[in-house]
Amino acid sequence: MLLSFLMLQSCGTTKVENSKKNYAKYQAVIDSIFQAHPESNGIMVHIEAPKKEISWSGSVGYSDVENKIKLTPDQPALIASTIKTYISATILRLQEQNKLDIDEPIKKHLTNKTINLFESDGYDLDSIKIKHLLSHTSGIQDYANEEYLDWVDNNQKHRWTRDEQLELTIKTGDRLGKPEDVFNYADANYLLCTEIIENTTNKPFYESIRELLKYEEFGFLNTWFPTLESKPKQTKPLVHQYWGEKNWDSHNQDISWDLYGGGGIATTTKELAQFSYNLFNNKIIKNVNTLNLISTPIQTKDGKDNKYGLGLSLGEVNGYTSYGHGGFWGTVVLYFPQLDTSIAVYILERDKGKLRKDVLEALVFELVQKEYYS
């Protein structure tokens, strides 16, 4: 009996030691990449793989470059378009509850004001379905183009409304085609999705997202929509996110330019990775058939292999299939079904956003090495 107890103790100690050793390797990955690219300002990572007993956050660099404030792993950041998977999951939860169907026309779920706006520009809202918004196959133009970014650059304190951005969508140009004619990535699709969420639940979209995606159940205490919701009391300060090309610092802007569904959420790498992991392990959407819709691309007549499902991209890293989404500020989260692992990465300088790929490749390599030798 004593021998068995000592063996169990020994095994437990070995597991802890191995975990610490592997965590050191993960930290070494981002330290090395940051050392080679200090102009990235900061790198943040979380790896979530509960069945492998991995839940690790790491960081290197600065949360505020100007004041040389060191970055900590548990600080939140704006995730920009990475939010689109949250919006899609919310819509699919409503489908799971039989409150809507993504094959329904969007006209059934929009306000009269929005219907009149889009129909005035020739859009047939009876033929555009909710799934076309989620997959960017609606034929709707995008307001978030270079001209828009230039205007934001010169008016960084302007407070946008969703209606104002939808009106800008119509002013930007005519429809690109009928539904499923073309794939055209457009934030306007997701602004319409948040209106659909509100009209279905009779609540502000951010409250519905919080409830339907089960933030309270999962202990997501550091995920919120800044300026639409109060910052959680225990949450650390938002990091500064930069765009060197335009000399942007996210703290100098009214974030409403990317707030109403195309972007908007602030969260930590840990809660982002846990959201991803929970989603693909049927903890948010229980119905397998409903969840499978999220990773099913809609083919378009333009012949583009868009590798985009409903609010997420389909890809691979080191030969391993991935599901996830990146964002404007250098954020990304990917779930790897073969590894049953989610990884979130933030690069705090947009100009160095390509380093996300380097970080992911190096971390996946370490994870596979761990599995091979364990």
Side-chain angles (χ1 to χ4, degrees):
M1 182 71 91
L2 177 59
L3 179 59
S4 298
F5 175 74
L6 291 173
M7 287 178 67
L8 283 171
Q9 270 200 320
S10 175
C11 288
T13 302
T14 302
K15 275 189 175 182
V16 171
E17 288 174 350
N18 285 340
S19 293
K20 288 182 177 178
K21 185 177 180 181
N22 287 315
Y23 289 172
K25 287 183 178 180
Y26 306 149
Q27 183 65 47
V29 164
I30 60 174
D31 286 347
S32 175
I33 292 173
F34 182 74
Q35 186 175 11
H37 301 278
E39 66 277 14
S40 62
N41 295 330
I43 300 174
M44 308 177 73
V45 168
H46 184 83
I47 303 172
E48 188 69 16
K51 292 172 186 174
K52 299 178 178 64
E53 299 183 335
I54 300 172
S55 185
W56 176 81
S57 296
S59 66
V60 60
Y62 300 94
S63 65
D64 180 344
V65 172
E66 184 178 352
N67 295 302
K68 297 296 180 187
I69 298 175
K70 287 289 183 69
L71 189 60
T72 62
D74 53 353
Q75 285 186 261
L78 298 170
I79 65 171
S81 285
T82 308
I83 187 186
K84 288 183 171 69
T85 309
Y86 287 71
I87 302 298
S88 179
T90 301
I91 293 281
L92 291 175
R93 279 278 286 137
L94 290 171
Q95 172 153 321
E96 188 177 42
Q97 294 176 347
N98 296 315
K99 293 181 179 177
L100 55 70
D101 190 305
I102 63 170
D103 278 307
E104 291 175 331
I106 63 174
K107 188 171 183 177
K108 180 179 177 181
H109 298 281
L110 297 174
T111 63
N112 288 333
K113 180 178 180 180
T114 300
I115 290 169
N116 293 334
L117 175 67
F118 277 80
E119 288 187 339
S120 72
D121 198 39
Y123 285 97
D124 179 2
L125 302 186
D126 285 313
S127 66
I128 301 174
K129 299 175 181 178
I130 298 172
K131 68 181 181 182
H132 296 137
L133 300 180
L134 294 171
S135 59
H136 299 293
T137 60
S138 64
I140 292 175
Q141 274 278 7
D142 193 22
Y143 65 89
N145 53 24
E146 288 300 321
E147 186 178 349
Y148 176 70
L149 292 175
D150 288 341
W151 198 93
V152 172
D153 187 31
N154 293 314
N155 302 271
Q156 294 191 37
K157 296 298 185 181
H158 177 72
R159 182 67 183 179
W160 291 87
T161 66
R162 182 175 61 198
D163 284 348
E164 189 179 9
Q165 290 169 336
L166 290 174
E167 289 165 8
L168 184 59
T169 300
I170 300 305
K171 292 176 183 176
T172 297
D174 296 329
R175 69 189 182 113
L176 301 174
K178 296 178 181 178
E180 299 184 25
D181 276 355
V182 300
F183 173 83
N184 181 60
Y185 186 91
D187 279 0
N189 288 311
Y190 276 73
L191 269 62
L192 292 172
C193 283
T194 56
E195 184 172 302
I196 288 170
I197 291 168
E198 289 185 339
N199 291 336
T200 303
T201 63
N202 295 313
K203 293 178 182 178
F205 72 89
Y206 45 89
E207 289 184 11
S208 296
I209 290 171
R210 178 174 293 278
E211 292 176 13
L212 289 164
L213 300 188
K214 309 177 184 180
Y215 285 13
E216 185 174 348
E217 178 181 333
F218 298 128
F220 291 169
L221 303 176
N222 304 290
T223 302
W224 83 107
F225 279 84
T227 74
L228 297 179
E229 298 178 292
S230 299
K231 177 178 171 292
K233 290 181 180 178
Q234 76 289 335
T235 300
K236 290 193 174 180
L238 268 170
V239 301
H240 289 246
Q241 292 163 277
Y242 301 93
W243 186 8
E245 179 186 327
K246 288 189 178 291
N247 197 30
W248 281 14
D249 177 337
S250 59
H251 279 236
N252 296 334
Q253 301 177 327
D254 187 312
I255 69 167
S256 60
W257 72 270
D258 186 31
L259 180 61
Y260 302 105
I265 284 176
T267 191
T268 59
T269 53
K270 180 176 182 178
E271 291 187 13
L272 177 56
Q274 288 180 336
F275 160 74
S276 170
Y277 186 86
N278 291 341
L279 176 63
F280 289 104
N281 278 272
N282 293 101
K283 295 182 179 181
I284 295 173
I285 299 168
K286 304 287 188 182
N287 186 295
V288 175
N289 292 329
T290 302
L291 178 61
N292 286 344
L293 294 171
I294 205 168
S295 56
T296 306
I298 294 176
Q299 300 305 318
T300 49
K301 293 176 183 177
D302 60 4
K304 289 182 181 178
D305 183 11
N306 57 66
K307 291 185 171 62
Y308 197 93
L310 306 183
L312 57 78
S313 295
L314 287 65
E316 63 175 44
V317 176
N318 298 357
Y320 291 89
T321 299
S322 66
Y323 302 133
H325 213 296
F328 175 90
W329 285 115
T331 59
V332 69
V333 65
L334 296 181
Y335 174 73
F336 298 92
Q338 293 143 296
L339 302 175
D340 193 24
T341 299
S342 285
I343 305 176
V345 179
Y346 300 168
I347 307 295
L348 300 191
E349 167 54 63
R350 170 176 161 77
D351 287 337
K352 293 297 174 182
K354 290 182 178 179
L355 291 176
R356 288 173 292 186
K357 184 173 181 287
D358 296 348
V359 173
L360 287 163
E361 287 179 347
L363 291 176
V364 168
F365 175 81
E366 292 295 344
L367 284 163
V368 174
Q369 290 289 100
K370 175 183 179 295
E371 286 197 343
Y372 183 78
Y373 288 110
S374 60

